[in-house]
Amino acid sequence: MKRIHSRASRAGASAAMAAPALHFDASRRLFLRQGAALSALAGAGAPLALNLLAAGSAAAQVAPDYRALVCFFLFGGNDTYNTVLPTDTASWNAYTLTRNQAPDPIALLPAGTLADAAAAAGTPARLGGVLPIAPINAQGRTFALHPLLGELKTMFDTERRLALVPNVGPLVMPTSKAQYGQASHPKPLRLFSHNDQQSTWQALAPEGATRGWGGRMGDAVAAGNGNAIFTAVSASGSAVWLNGSSVQQYQVSSGGAIRLGANANGQVYGSTAVTQALHRIAAGARSGHVLEADVAAVAQRSISAEETLRNALRAASEPAFGTAPASGNYNANNDPKLQYVNPLTGATVFNAVAQQFQVVARLVDAAMRGAVAVKRQVFFVSLGGFDTHDLQNRNHADLMARIAQALRYFDTALGALGARNLVTTFTASDFGRTFTSNGDGTDHGWGAHHFVMGGAVKGGELYGRFPTLATKNGNNNNFDGSPDQLGNGSLLPATSVDQLASTLAAWFGLSATQIADIFPNLANFDAAQRNLGFMV
């Protein structure tokens, strides 16, 4: 498989009942009336002014409850074959034969194998055997998780707040292996490219897309939010998934709201007076120039939003989110709730992605208390490092440990808030990886298995057919014995991103019409399979 690298791979970067569809016709009419009046006043500056109106306008009809979606993006392309494994005899034999390749075999060990503390860090022997799971409908097969995903096993098997959606990926329409080889059959553009597949997962189009399906869902519900600026929030920098037509993402740091030019104490050069002067300058247009007015309006929006959020968030050290220090100021790096055991060193260390989830939990809490006047939110968190062409045994083990701790932390925090049924988290990634090993890693693939977590998730189950594993043909890299594996064993997706996303959108409260508008490719799939059924 040709390696396709890109600057965007981030390989080293860091109500339990189904809701009725929400309708915001009254709010939309109000918005259009106010927008028409504002555009007459704003002239050429109207586009930005309309966004500001959307951010500050209280809706005429507010959604009756709170719900949130959290996208947990794994940048670089997670190796799904070592994350969720079929362990029936035929599948396990194909797996071990394919992945036991020199010089550094990446095949995990069978269930029940004891971990060897004397083995090299990160090796399969050091990790021990895979962890069996018991799906409600196992499709006549047996399955397991990576040895370091013990917390996810508990949420899947015992607590039933975790579901698995196997072999998901971007698709224009259902595609068989024969159709994949036909030039005339519609397929996603620029497969196997980091930039393009990150964008396709988030925005249903390759790099250059400006609106993501998370943001477009935000467009559909923002009128029900009194403070629409907090509809789409990223704890991990800019994400196209959060951009809509009217809704624009609001970025926070892992510690909370980002202040314009000031430190955590609201000071510039040790002075609050300087901060106030800076804000007056930044938010005040000194001429009638349209660009200057737009920049000033954006600055004022940022200042106002930061003040609102700063006053709304409870401290990270409060028991629901963290651990109060015995003395001194709170330091997330030292908080036991945000730490995991590094499998390479055995040391207990800070988990930065858990801190991203911490700020999301604080934002959910603020919304539930009515402190930010929102009823529907979409959030984005991420973890990088999944482009495991090399040193996969070491790197992937560490990533699995961080994922398990971060998701368990978030689930526990939501439980403390009484919000498990109100927040649904799902994983996403550029693509899966090849079944074959390149010697000590894997290359770019296509389909991948993904988790969905939350109290409203019908957990302990597989939603979609799990792929058949085979071994490669001796004369080429094709897997002729499997209808699901392409060259080098890359998975041909059986479930589309649109199907996964539309299932989440229905729970979020979108109508069938809104869902069809956001996910036009959904019309290419059988009506009975557009909702995968993993939400209550």
Side-chain angles (χ1 to χ4, degrees):
M1 178 66 64
K2 180 181 178 181
R3 300 185 185 184
I4 305 176
H5 295 283
S6 75
R7 64 185 181 279
S9 70
R10 300 197 191 183
S14 57
M17 296 180 66
L22 301 177
H23 299 284
F24 299 109
D25 294 339
S27 297
R28 195 172 289 114
R29 289 195 296 270
L30 173 64
F31 176 82
L32 292 173
R33 287 199 305 270
Q34 291 176 331
L38 184 59
S39 64
L41 295 173
L48 177 63
L50 288 172
N51 273 345
L52 295 175
L53 171 66
S57 175
Q61 177 179 335
V62 176
D65 61 345
Y66 175 81
R67 292 191 179 189
L69 285 174
V70 183
C71 175
F72 181 17
F73 206 94
L74 312 179
F75 277 102
N78 178 43
D79 177 26
T80 201
Y81 283 117
N82 271 18
T83 303
V84 183
L85 305 88
T87 57
D88 53 276
T89 300
S91 299
W92 190 258
N93 288 343
Y95 170 81
T96 53
L97 179 64
T98 302
R99 292 209 147 188
N100 272 326
Q101 300 299 316
D104 192 12
I106 60 173
L108 298 173
L109 301 180
T113 305
L114 296 178
D116 182 359
T123 60
R126 180 74 168 265
L127 297 175
V130 296
L131 305 177
I133 56 173
I136 296 169
N137 176 12
Q139 304 178 7
R141 303 168 73 178
T142 55
F143 299 93
L145 299 179
H146 187 280
L148 296 181
L149 294 181
E151 295 288 3
L152 302 193
K153 170 181 166 60
T154 300
M155 281 193 276
F156 185 88
D157 276 341
T158 306
E159 298 166 354
R160 298 290 174 87
R161 288 194 296 276
L162 187 78
L164 277 166
V165 187
N167 200 12
V168 185
L171 286 171
V172 176
M173 60 176 57
T175 301
S176 69
K177 198 167 179 178
Q179 289 169 328
Y180 173 73
Q182 298 169 0
S184 60
H185 187 80
K187 294 178 282 291
L189 299 175
R190 303 170 198 163
L191 290 168
F192 312 111
S193 157
H194 283 297
N195 294 38
D196 296 297
Q197 295 312 300
Q198 288 165 15
S199 179
T200 302
W201 252 95
Q202 296 182 45
L204 309 177
E207 186 178 26
T210 57
R211 296 187 301 160
W213 55 268
R216 294 196 64 197
M217 287 197 295
D219 288 338
V221 301
N225 288 340
N227 228 338
I229 193 172
F230 301 121
T231 299
V233 183
S234 175
S236 184
S238 180
V240 69
W241 185 70
L242 291 173
N243 282 339
S245 296
S246 59
V247 164
Q248 298 300 312
Q249 61 186 291
Y250 180 78
Q251 296 180 30
V252 297
S253 72
S254 293
I258 301 172
R259 284 186 169 177
L260 180 62
N263 63 18
N265 297 318
Q267 298 174 334
V268 175
Y269 299 128
S271 169
T272 56
V274 175
T275 300
Q276 293 166 1
L278 173 63
H279 287 177
R280 285 195 302 271
I281 294 169
R286 293 172 296 283
S287 75
H289 196 283
V290 173
L291 178 59
E292 185 179 355
D294 276 3
V295 172
V298 169
Q300 182 59 61
R301 172 180 178 265
S302 176
I303 293 166
S304 299
E306 185 277 328
E307 182 178 5
T308 297
L309 199 57
R310 172 165 36 92
N311 293 327
L313 293 180
R314 289 200 286 156
S317 59
E318 293 203 16
F321 316 115
T323 307
S327 62
N329 295 324
Y330 176 77
N331 184 343
N333 292 332
N334 299 327
D335 190 335
K337 291 186 177 181
L338 303 181
Q339 295 178 338
Y340 78 109
V341 177
N342 186 317
L344 305 180
T345 65
T348 300
V349 293
F350 174 64
N351 188 2
V353 73
Q355 192 185 18
Q356 291 181 45
F357 278 111
Q358 182 189 60
V359 75
V360 172
R362 294 168 66 200
L363 286 155
V364 168
D365 169 68
M368 291 177 62
R369 289 185 289 107
V372 291
V374 291
K375 294 295 184 180
R376 288 291 186 274
Q377 290 182 286
V378 287
F379 294 99
F380 186 86
V381 301
S382 74
L383 177 63
F386 289 88
D387 197 19
T388 50
H389 291 288
D390 306 295
L391 301 176
Q392 175 159 317
N393 280 330
R394 294 176 58 85
N395 296 336
H396 199 249
D398 182 55
L399 293 164
M400 293 294 100
R402 286 194 264 175
I403 286 174
Q405 189 275 329
L407 288 177
R408 172 55 85 186
Y409 163 81
F410 191 48
D411 174 73
T412 301
L414 293 175
L417 298 173
R420 279 183 174 134
N421 289 352
L422 310 179
V423 181
T424 299
T425 303
F426 66 97
T427 60
S429 190
D430 316 18
F431 33 61
R433 304 194 74 81
T434 55
F435 193 32
T436 57
S437 167
N438 59 31
D440 67 344
T442 53
D443 298 317
H444 300 180
W446 188 357
H449 315 317
H450 286 285
F451 299 110
V452 186
M453 181 186 84
V457 173
K458 293 189 283 189
E461 183 61 294
L462 305 174
Y463 291 90
R465 183 181 62 82
F466 206 91
T468 298
L469 305 188
T471 55
K472 64 182 179 181
N473 185 298
N475 297 321
N476 55 48
N477 288 325
N478 290 325
F479 285 67
D480 298 332
S482 169
D484 306 302
Q485 292 177 293
L486 303 172
N488 276 329
S490 296
L491 285 175
L492 172 63
T495 297
S496 71
V497 173
D498 303 68
Q499 291 169 287
L500 172 69
S502 64
T503 306
L504 295 167
W507 172 81
F508 199 55
L510 271 63
S511 68
T513 299
Q514 290 168 326
I515 291 172
D517 178 60
I518 296 172
F519 307 104
N521 286 338
L522 203 60
N524 297 329
F525 294 83
D526 187 279
Q529 299 176 348
R530 294 173 192 172
N531 188 312
L532 300 177
F534 56 75
M535 302 301 297
V536 297

